[in-house]
């Protein structure tokens, strides 16, 4: 084996190495019965991070302007609470936070329906812990989505 191939497989990760050996993982969302592209397909990571950025920005503005009275350090703490409430209310009712709505995303249950209150709470609390959101499966769902039995899709 050429050293460049060994380095390439190491950098590409185990999925690329398995695909080179003939494993077929399919497309993201195939195991969930979702389309490969278009409305209803698994949301791309870039849009999901963009939506999270927009949501966090909104929460920081609300916390800074209304709750922290101009103290930036306190605003960061309040922003977590604002994010929790905003996420519980918006995902629990319409399936989207403001950032997700702007970027054309929605959170649905694995079976395609709405998320129940308990699932929304589990998903949101785990998202606030950050680490579960950074552990992904082959459908690009974070651990918070897996445990909440949710999936983020395009509208």
């Amino acid at each position: 084996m050429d050293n460049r191939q060994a380095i390439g497989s190491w950098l590409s990760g185990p999925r690329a190495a398995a695909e080179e050996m003939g494993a077929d993982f399919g497309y993201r969302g195939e195991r969930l019965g979702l389309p490969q592209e278009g409305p209803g397909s698994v949301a791309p990571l870039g849009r999901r991070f963009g939506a999270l950025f927009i949501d966090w920005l909104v929460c920081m503005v609300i916390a800074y302007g209304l709750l922290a009275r101009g103290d930036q350090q306190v605003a960061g703490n309040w922003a977590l609470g604002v994010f929790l409430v905003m996420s519980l209310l918006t995902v629990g009712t319409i399936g989207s936070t403001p950032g997700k709505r702007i970027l054309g995303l929605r959170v649905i249950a694995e079976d395609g329906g709405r998320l129940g209150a308990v699932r929304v709470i589990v998903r949101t609390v785990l998202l606030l812990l950050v680490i579960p959101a950074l552990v992904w499966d082959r459908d690009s769902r974070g651990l918070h989505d897996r445990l909440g039995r949710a999936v983020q899709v395009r509208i």
Side-chain angles (χ1 to χ4, degrees):
M1 176 182 260
D2 186 6
N3 282 341
R4 290 175 291 178
Q5 286 178 318
I7 291 173
S9 67
W10 178 76
L11 290 174
S12 302
R15 180 180 178 135
E19 286 174 344
E20 283 181 18
M21 293 187 320
D24 180 22
F25 292 108
Y27 62 86
R28 293 178 309 136
E30 183 175 21
R31 294 181 311 150
L32 301 169
L34 301 174
Q36 186 170 1
E37 293 187 20
S41 64
V42 173
L45 290 175
R47 278 193 191 183
R48 290 172 21 200
F49 282 125
L52 184 62
F53 177 77
I54 291 168
D55 291 336
W56 186 251
L57 187 64
V58 167
C59 292
M60 283 297 290
V61 168
I62 291 170
Y64 186 79
L66 298 178
L67 302 170
R69 296 190 175 96
D71 186 350
Q72 191 171 3
Q73 184 139 8
V74 173
N77 295 332
W78 276 108
L80 284 171
V82 172
F83 185 87
L84 175 70
V85 170
M86 180 183 73
S87 188
L88 290 174
L89 291 176
T90 58
V91 173
T93 56
I94 62 172
S96 296
T97 61
K100 287 183 190 339
R101 180 63 74 179
I102 289 168
L103 294 180
L105 306 177
R106 186 166 183 226
V107 180
I108 61 171
E110 288 176 338
D111 62 8
R114 291 177 73 176
L115 284 180
V118 173
R119 288 186 188 177
V120 171
I121 292 168
V122 167
R123 183 185 179 280
T124 303
V125 169
L126 289 173
L127 180 59
L128 288 174
L129 294 175
V130 179
I131 299 299
L134 298 176
V135 178
W136 298 324
D137 66 4
R138 71 182 203 199
D139 291 319
S140 296
R141 291 190 312 157
L143 190 56
H144 66 297
D145 281 332
R146 296 257 332 198
L147 294 176
R149 296 182 48 215
V151 61
Q152 295 182 57
V153 296
R154 296 178 190 184
I155 296 177

